[in-house]
Amino acid sequence: MESITPILSSSIVGSSTSNAGGQQQNSFRMREGQILHALVGETKGAGTFVLNIGENRLIAMADSVTLSPGQSLQLQVTATRPQLELQIIAAPLQQQLGKTLTFLGHNLDLSPLMEILQTPSSHGDVALSAASAKILEDFFALQQRPLGGIEGADALRRMLAGIGLKTEAQFHRGVNNEQTDSLVNTLKSALLEIVQRDQGSASLKEIAKTLISTIESYQISQLRLDHDNIQILPLPFSFIDQGFLLIDNKQDQAPGGHEGYRQMHFSLHLAVSGLGNLHIDFLQTEGGLWMRFNCDSQEKADFVAQFSDELKEQLADLPLQGISFAGTASPPGADLVRMLVPAGHSLLNTKV
């Protein structure tokens, strides 16, 4: 990901919530380091424009940037006293659709980042807000939980909800003040705070930038997959080198248009140390579950097949109608690129 360079500091000069004397009040309960999504409502000339933040409208002033009505901005609160100051920190995701999907070689493993933060004097006196520190600690603790059973499923659900994958989309649709805190208190916002702090070691910032790039690459991938009604979700567990879940949200009908027939198709695309690439397809219908394990070699597929009886026992409550094994799996990144780039198209635009 390209480095995030602050463009300007925008000082709030008035709003519908200003007092009679015109002095700015922090009526939105913003805090330093908080990440906001804003839309430019209209421009008023001389570097003055209207920002729409959720249901709130602010008149803001900037000296060295040109903004257009309808433009989407990602902002960070850099000061709350004596007046609010906002800083543009990133372009909207839609503007990054043509960029490289850099997450293909990375997973959302917080271990390297937490190792630096938890080592005294190793991160250059970076002073994270209490909210961001707690977000990082809680997310890292969830990553250490066992994956199996109900607890593992709950940990995954909480991690996915806390990453911040849908924050920009939800802000774009509009949120009220009560919803704002829950949307900005995400892993992505905590990582952005590390990157934007003046203090902190270069290695800590680079790790945070890589993790942000990974999150944004999943967001960009989702933008591309939306038209196929497919959902992509990262699998942020430290024992997975690379991994994501694809859910096909299309509900198919049986031949003849039989009403009430519904099936669900989803797939796991993984790279795991010791086992290599693994692609697992699931097809669930009213009749039961079909599974296909695809490893990156026939030797590994034969090895995995030895545990099919144990798998059937684990799925006793869900009728397993069929299971098969193959040895032709590709790396997870290659699988995704094939989905994102239609046949006959290229990732590079070579037209002059």
Side-chain angles (χ1 to χ4, degrees):
M1 183 183 70
E2 297 178 359
S3 61
I4 301 175
T5 304
I7 300 176
L8 70 138
S9 292
S10 302
S11 300
I12 304 301
V13 298
S15 75
S16 59
T17 58
S18 297
N19 61 19
Q23 186 175 355
Q24 172 68 32
Q25 293 182 349
N26 188 10
S27 60
F28 305 110
R29 304 191 196 119
M30 296 179 185
R31 64 176 185 279
E32 290 190 26
Q34 183 175 353
I35 307 300
L36 304 171
H37 181 80
L39 291 175
V40 180
E42 59 181 296
T43 57
K44 293 182 173 296
T48 304
F49 50 89
V50 175
L51 285 180
N52 295 316
I53 302 177
E55 298 177 347
N56 303 303
R57 299 177 74 250
L58 298 174
I59 299 177
M61 178 178 288
D63 297 326
S64 57
V65 67
T66 301
L67 299 175
S68 303
Q71 186 174 353
S72 176
L73 301 175
Q74 192 166 335
L75 310 171
Q76 185 176 39
V77 180
T78 55
T80 59
R81 294 181 181 180
Q83 61 183 5
L84 286 172
E85 290 186 0
L86 306 174
Q87 187 175 73
I88 299 175
I89 58 174
L93 291 172
Q94 287 84 351
Q95 296 179 11
Q96 303 182 44
L97 284 175
K99 295 185 178 180
T100 303
L101 296 175
T102 56
F103 85 94
L104 299 181
H106 303 281
N107 194 15
L108 284 173
D109 181 11
L110 263 61
S111 300
L113 183 139
M114 295 304 295
E115 182 177 353
I116 295 177
L117 287 176
Q118 294 172 354
T119 302
S121 302
S122 67
H123 48 275
D125 298 325
V126 59
L128 288 178
S129 65
S132 292
K134 188 176 188 307
I135 289 169
L136 294 172
E137 292 170 0
D138 290 348
F139 195 94
F140 182 64
L142 289 172
Q143 287 189 316
Q144 312 310 307
R145 288 192 178 186
L147 182 57
I150 297 178
E151 290 187 0
D154 180 65
L156 177 58
R157 178 188 61 78
R158 292 169 60 186
M159 280 190 286
L160 292 176
I163 290 174
L165 295 171
K166 299 181 179 180
T167 300
E168 287 85 355
Q170 289 173 307
F171 270 120
H172 184 74
R173 290 193 295 267
V175 296
N176 55 41
N177 286 338
E178 294 179 357
Q179 297 171 310
T180 300
D181 281 346
S182 62
L183 291 179
V184 299
N185 289 333
T186 63
L187 175 63
K188 185 178 179 181
S189 67
L191 295 170
L192 284 169
E193 183 176 334
I194 292 176
V195 171
Q196 293 300 312
R197 290 283 181 176
D198 293 334
Q199 306 90 350
S201 68
S203 59
L204 182 68
K205 291 179 181 290
E206 284 303 313
I207 294 173
K209 288 179 182 179
T210 298
L211 291 169
I212 293 170
S213 175
T214 301
I215 294 171
E216 291 184 341
S217 295
Y218 276 106
Q219 293 178 289
I220 294 169
S221 298
Q222 186 62 68
L223 288 173
R224 297 187 180 188
L225 294 172
D226 276 342
H227 72 282
D228 291 326
N229 206 10
I230 294 174
Q231 184 177 9
I232 183 171
L233 296 171
L235 299 174
F237 294 100
S238 57
F239 63 88
I240 297 176
D241 297 331
Q242 298 178 43
F244 54 87
L245 169 67
L246 289 177
I247 303 174
D248 188 344
N249 290 312
K250 297 185 293 292
Q251 298 295 336
D252 297 329
Q253 287 189 330
H258 174 65
E259 294 185 3
Y261 179 90
R262 299 173 73 86
Q263 66 181 30
M264 176 180 292
H265 175 241
F266 53 98
S267 57
L268 292 170
H269 300 254
L270 310 172
V272 183
S273 298
L275 190 57
N277 302 317
L278 185 61
H279 177 181
I280 309 174
D281 277 310
F282 302 83
L283 178 63
Q284 183 177 352
T285 69
E286 294 175 335
L289 180 67
W290 279 261
M291 299 179 65
R292 176 179 173 85
F293 285 82
N294 196 359
C295 302
D296 57 20
S297 72
Q298 189 58 48
E299 182 181 2
K300 293 178 182 178
D302 294 339
F303 171 77
V304 173
Q306 298 177 23
F307 301 93
S308 57
D309 290 338
E310 295 182 22
L311 178 61
K312 292 177 182 178
E313 292 178 3
Q314 294 292 326
L315 298 174
D317 295 335
L318 185 64
L320 186 59
Q321 298 295 326
I323 184 170
S324 61
F325 301 88
T328 59
S330 302
D335 288 342
L336 185 57
V337 167
R338 278 193 291 270
M339 294 190 66
L340 297 178
V341 184
H345 292 71
S346 172
L347 284 172
L348 297 177
N349 183 359
T350 57
K351 294 181 180 180
V352 178

